[in-house]
Amino acid sequence: MNIYDTYGFKSEDLEEVRKLFEMVSRVILDRHKSDYMGGIYYSKGRTNEENYILRRNYSDEEGWTEEEHKNLGVILYVSRSERIDELRRLLLNSYQGDIFFIERVVITEDRLYQKYQYIHGKDKLIFEKNLS
């Protein structure tokens, strides 16, 4: 099973969010620059394994990363982490209202795509599709 979480931060200060994320998660992110990613962004890991990407939600080159969440300045993607539930708890408890859990996507072993939103402390299934 693969799990992908998306978070948004109210802050537009990418560096400050990075420092706080690294402190809370104990994951040190690497700095990169890419026009495709809207300039400076941070990441750790590879596409098909545990992976973290921290980037601005808006750039002049690319527009909005998360169009439906224009009130959020920085976006964090967490993919395939064995600590994904622990990280969600740590992040939501550490940022006290400055973070928003956007969604969780789960792809099960039998190729079922499920999208969840976190409502009142619980995951609520909002979409499901068989990918087989």
Side-chain angles (χ1 to χ4, degrees), residues 32-41 55 61-62:
H32 304 279
K33 183 174 182 178
S34 165
D35 291 338
Y36 175 76
M37 296 289 281
I40 302 297
Y41 72 99
R55 63 178 291 181
E61 298 88 7
E62 294 297 314

Side-chain angles (χ1 to χ4, degrees), residues 38-82:
I40 302 297
Y41 72 99
Y42 291 90
S43 70
K44 186 59 130 193
R46 298 183 188 176
T47 303
N48 290 324
E49 54 189 47
E50 187 169 353
N51 183 313
Y52 304 87
I53 297 174
L54 185 70
R55 63 178 291 181
R56 289 183 176 85
N57 193 21
Y58 180 82
S59 73
D60 292 335
E61 298 88 7
E62 294 297 314
W64 293 99
T65 301
E66 294 291 333
E67 182 87 27
E68 295 178 11
H69 300 284
K70 293 180 179 179
N71 60 321
L72 302 172
V74 175
I75 303 297
L76 171 66
Y77 299 100
V78 177
S79 304
R80 300 174 183 225
S81 173
E82 292 182 11

Side-chain angles (χ1 to χ4, degrees):
M1 176 167 43
N2 295 315
I3 302 174
Y4 308 88
D5 283 353
T6 303
Y7 299 86
F9 298 82
K10 292 180 182 177
S11 174
E12 294 184 16
D13 187 338
L14 183 63
E15 294 299 319
E16 184 64 28
V17 172
R18 177 194 58 83
K19 289 176 191 173
L20 291 170
F21 171 75
E22 289 179 345
M23 182 180 69
V24 168
S25 68
R26 300 181 317 277
V27 173
I28 304 302
L29 302 174
D30 300 318
R31 186 175 197 254
H32 304 279
K33 183 174 182 178
S34 165
D35 291 338
Y36 175 76
M37 296 289 281
I40 302 297
Y41 72 99
Y42 291 90
S43 70
K44 186 59 130 193
R46 298 183 188 176
T47 303
N48 290 324
E49 54 189 47
E50 187 169 353
N51 183 313
Y52 304 87
I53 297 174
L54 185 70
R55 63 178 291 181
R56 289 183 176 85
N57 193 21
Y58 180 82
S59 73
D60 292 335
E61 298 88 7
E62 294 297 314
W64 293 99
T65 301
E66 294 291 333
E67 182 87 27
E68 295 178 11
H69 300 284
K70 293 180 179 179
N71 60 321
L72 302 172
V74 175
I75 303 297
L76 171 66
Y77 299 100
V78 177
S79 304
R80 300 174 183 225
S81 173
E82 292 182 11
R83 300 174 49 215
I84 205 154
D85 289 324
E86 174 193 355
L87 286 172
R88 178 168 61 180
R89 183 182 49 75
L90 287 169
L91 290 168
L92 294 178
N93 288 338
S94 297
Y95 287 96
Q96 304 280 329
D98 292 329
I99 187 173
F100 179 69
F101 184 78
I102 296 173
E103 69 182 14
R104 172 170 282 182
V105 171
V106 176
I107 300 176
T108 66
E109 299 296 330
D110 55 352
R111 311 253 318 126
L112 192 60
Y113 175 97
Q114 300 171 319
K115 186 181 281 190
Y116 295 86
Q117 287 186 337
Y118 195 62
I119 301 172
H120 304 297
K122 295 185 179 184
D123 290 320
K124 180 179 178 184
L125 182 65
I126 59 167
F127 180 80
E128 187 172 62
K129 180 179 180 180
N130 191 328
L131 300 175
S132 297

